[in-house]
């Protein structure tokens, strides 16, 4: 995902991780735990199996949240 998704989602989540409520920092390296990752609530692997006539965009804002790197990519990632 690009910075536009982060910029769009940040105000809705008050700059916090959807899962652990950690404050997400704007100007940190992508390896920092407080880096804002964009996560799919319903995994893409489940949505791509849908019949094509449903017309659901899996990358729509309805399916995206901000998550800290630790929650999204860590060993215990959601």
């Amino acid at each position: 995902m690009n910075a536009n998704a982060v910029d769009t989602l940040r105000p809705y989540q008050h700059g916090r991780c959807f899962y652990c409520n950690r404050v997400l920092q704007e100007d940190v390296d992508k390896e920092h735990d407080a880096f804002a990752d964009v996560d799919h609530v319903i995994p893409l692997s489940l949505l791509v199996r849908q019949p094509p006539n449903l017309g659901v965009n899996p990358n729509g804002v309805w399916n995206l949240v901000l998550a800290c790197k630790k929650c999204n990519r860590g060993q215990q990632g959601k």
Side-chain angles (χ1 to χ4, degrees), residues 5-41:
V6 173
D7 293 341
T8 300
L9 295 168
R10 188 179 300 277
Y12 291 106
Q13 292 180 221
H14 304 287
R16 295 184 171 270
C17 175
F18 181 79
Y19 303 108
C20 72
N21 207 34
R22 174 195 307 254
V23 173
L24 300 171
Q25 298 176 12
E26 293 188 42
D27 297 322
V28 294
D29 182 78
K30 66 180 180 178
E31 298 305 316
H32 193 281
D33 282 346
F35 179 78
D37 266 344
V38 177
D39 187 29
H40 291 87
V41 176

Side-chain angles (χ1 to χ4, degrees), residues 53-65:
N53 61 352
L54 288 180
V56 175
N57 177 5
N59 293 315
V61 72
W62 66 271
N63 192 36
L64 301 176
V65 294

